[in-house]
Amino acid sequence: MSGGQKAKTVLVTALLGLLLSASLALILFFGYSYLSANWRVFPALSLLKFSSGWGRLWLCLWLGSDVLFFILVALILVEIILFLIRTILRTGIRAHGLLANRDVSGWNAALKQWSLLTLFRAIGVNDRKKAVIAYVIIILVVFGPGWLGKAVLQATDDLVFRTREQQHLQEETHTVDFAQAISAQKTYDLSITAGVGIIHLYTSKDTPEGRFHFLYDNDPQKNAFTMAVDEEAGTIMIAFGAEETYEAYVDPVPSAVEIFLPASLPIDSVTVNIAVSGFLTVSYLDFSAFQVDLKNTQTAFSTEGFEVGSIRMKTENGTLTLKTGTAALLDLDLSGTKTSVETGTILGTVNITAVDTDLQWFRTHASALVLRGSNSELELREIYASDVNIEVDRCQLIYRNNDFNYDFNLFVLKATASTVSSAGVPYDPQGND
């Protein structure tokens, strides 16, 4: 082999190896992301302890199907990874054989064994017909029991299944015509109070009607529901879920309210209180003020694409996912709350108090930031404010910005018994102990 041919072989091998290595890195990243996000299929098996008899069997089939699918995807990812590793090694071995003029067929034969398909060949699946049969069997085993189990659980109104899927036995709908209020641009205040409950709050376009769906399981839940619309005062008041305690998968599914307000109805203030536990979802809503007081509540709140008023949230022992476009101000009082925040522009002050909380906060421009943290993990990225005042005690604080030239007017950070990591901010370790 001439010198030019050798150089060409080395160059082609290097480029192909680089491309395959990049593909391998991408698959590894995707595989890790998928597996870590879906690992919860195994903890979900703990729901079996709340069931008994035939219900437990059908629940086992339904949950087991998710586990089998997780394992199937994991095996497929492993096979793709092995294929890429084999190809990288075979490319290098082939180049070595050409350059050294050596027979490398033995190495290639050994590499062929680096595959999960070797297991199938060992049990006799060694031609196309048998492979198709094996494929059909695997699909039936993975998806068949899950489909059957889910169908039976739905047909029998299984409590554990319905609690996990938030499905209720009964529903009633209230419709209110807001055409006159919309024409007069009359503002409304909305108040929702629940002990234990599920709240979904949305807006609907191209309709002057507001729809209020109440979902429940039993008469006590139905009797606890009250709704009052005062057109003159411009108020909507809803109360439900009077239970003072709740044990998931044992007590009836928490009653729920699904609210669809006309997008053109002016909303002044919204107040939501969940005293015991529940779920809160808010999307596509414009308002002047939004205030919540929640306990043991999973909250998903989004006003992306809107310019809204003030947002004040007090949450205890729950989860919070908050996304905003532009807001007048943001006030978060977080206690024992796993929190993820993505904010656009806050015209006024961001005021955050975090106790025993895991906070991840991304992307915002604000007039001022005041953060008080205690015994919490706080991660702030791309957070820009003219005035910053942070005080943390026994916290892990990460504050990183990419714009190193941002002109802070005032930046104060006091940390006691805390670990601080920063970049792109004028970090002043004042008061560090």
Side-chain angles (χ1 to χ4, degrees):
M1 181 179 290
S2 65
Q5 290 175 323
K6 288 183 178 180
K8 182 179 179 181
T9 299
V10 171
L11 179 60
V12 171
T13 302
L15 290 176
L16 186 57
L18 182 63
L19 179 62
L20 291 170
S21 297
S23 300
L24 178 61
L26 183 62
I27 289 297
L28 287 171
F29 174 76
F30 170 79
Y32 173 79
S33 300
Y34 174 84
L35 296 178
S36 59
N38 292 276
W39 185 257
R40 62 181 182 274
V41 298
F42 292 100
L45 294 175
S46 63
L47 299 183
L48 294 173
K49 67 183 180 183
F50 296 105
S51 189
S52 61
W54 286 102
R56 177 174 291 181
L57 171 63
W58 304 123
L59 194 65
C60 182
L61 292 178
W62 178 50
L63 298 175
S65 180
D66 292 337
V67 172
L68 290 177
F69 180 75
F70 178 90
I71 294 173
L72 178 62
V73 173
L75 292 176
I76 292 174
L77 289 170
V78 169
E79 181 58 29
I80 294 174
I81 291 170
L82 289 175
F83 169 77
L84 291 172
I85 293 175
R86 289 199 314 270
T87 306
I88 292 172
L89 294 176
R90 290 175 65 181
T91 300
I93 291 172
R94 178 177 178 275
H96 172 72
L98 291 174
L99 294 173
N101 194 24
R102 295 181 58 181
D103 180 15
V104 294
S105 58
W107 291 1
N108 286 329
L111 284 175
K112 287 183 179 180
Q113 304 303 313
W114 292 20
S115 172
L116 298 179
L117 297 178
T118 302
L119 302 176
F120 286 90
R121 298 190 190 102
I123 60 176
V125 182
N126 50 17
D127 58 40
R128 181 174 298 179
K129 180 179 179 180
K130 292 179 180 178
V132 171
I133 294 174
Y135 174 79
V136 172
I137 292 174
I138 290 174
I139 294 299
L140 291 175
V141 169
V142 171
F143 295 104
W147 176 85
L148 177 61
K150 184 176 182 179
V152 174
L153 291 170
Q154 286 179 322
T156 57
D157 293 326
D158 183 82
L159 175 61
V160 177
F161 172 80
R162 291 190 305 104
T163 301
R164 182 174 171 82
E165 298 295 297
Q166 291 187 9
Q167 293 184 0
H168 297 83
L169 296 176
Q170 302 180 72
E171 176 183 354
E172 60 182 34
T173 300
H174 304 264
T175 303
V176 179
D177 188 355
F178 290 103
Q180 187 173 353
I182 293 172
S183 178
Q185 285 296 289
K186 182 176 181 60
T187 60
Y188 269 76
D189 296 323
L190 172 63
S191 174
I192 308 173
T193 302
V196 178
I198 302 169
I199 300 170
H200 297 278
L201 179 54
Y202 311 105
T203 57
S204 299
K205 293 183 177 180
D206 305 322
T207 177
E209 292 186 340
R211 289 177 289 115
F212 303 82
H213 303 280
F214 177 59
L215 303 96
Y216 60 98
D217 267 12
N218 53 37
D219 288 339
Q221 290 179 333
K222 180 180 180 180
N223 296 333
F225 177 77
T226 60
M227 173 178 166
V229 179
D230 189 326
E231 296 182 7
E232 291 188 6
T235 60
I236 305 170
M237 303 183 66
I238 297 173
F240 71 108
E243 301 92 338
E244 296 182 356
T245 60
Y246 175 70
E247 184 177 356
Y249 307 108
V250 176
D251 295 328
V253 182
S255 50
V257 170
E258 296 180 353
I259 302 172
F260 297 85
L261 295 175
S264 51
L265 179 68
I267 301 297
D268 186 16
S269 68
V270 181
T271 303
V272 179
N273 292 290
I274 298 180
V276 180
S277 67
F279 298 82
L280 171 64
T281 302
V282 180
S283 295
Y284 310 113
L285 184 68
D286 195 359
F287 52 82
S288 297
F290 202 109
Q291 182 168 332
V292 301
D293 188 345
L294 311 170
K295 292 184 179 179
N296 303 303
T297 299
Q298 296 182 30
T299 305
F301 187 100
S302 176
T303 60
E304 287 185 300
F306 290 86
E307 182 172 343
V308 299
S310 61
I311 301 173
R312 303 179 187 274
M313 294 188 167
K314 181 179 181 180
T315 70
E316 181 180 341
N317 298 330
T319 63
L320 170 63
T321 301
L322 172 65
K323 297 182 179 180
T324 70
T326 299
L329 63 86
L330 178 63
D331 191 326
L332 301 179
D333 186 347
L334 311 170
S335 177
T337 302
K338 185 174 179 60
T339 306
S340 175
V341 179
E342 293 184 33
T343 46
T345 300
I346 307 299
L347 301 175
T349 299
V350 176
N351 196 327
I352 300 178
T353 301
V355 179
D356 299 321
T357 287
D358 181 355
L359 168 65
Q360 294 182 329
W361 182 19
F362 306 97
R363 187 182 58 83
T364 196
H365 283 79
S367 174
L369 164 63
V370 178
L371 171 61
R372 298 291 180 263
S374 174
N375 196 33
S376 298
E377 295 185 9
L378 310 170
E379 181 177 351
L380 285 61
R381 295 184 182 273
E382 302 305 307
I383 309 300
Y384 301 94
S386 297
D387 296 341
V388 174
N389 191 323
I390 299 175
E391 186 171 346
V392 293
D393 176 40
R394 292 168 291 122
C395 290
Q396 292 185 3
L397 172 64
I398 298 174
Y399 194 165
R400 295 183 176 274
N401 290 341
N402 285 328
D403 185 358
F404 285 73
N405 298 316
Y406 181 80
D407 187 17
F408 289 90
N409 180 52
L410 173 69
F411 191 96
V412 177
L413 195 161
K414 296 182 180 180
T416 304
S418 300
T419 302
V420 178
S421 174
S422 66
V425 298
Y427 170 46
D428 176 12
Q430 179 182 358
N432 274 304
D433 294 335

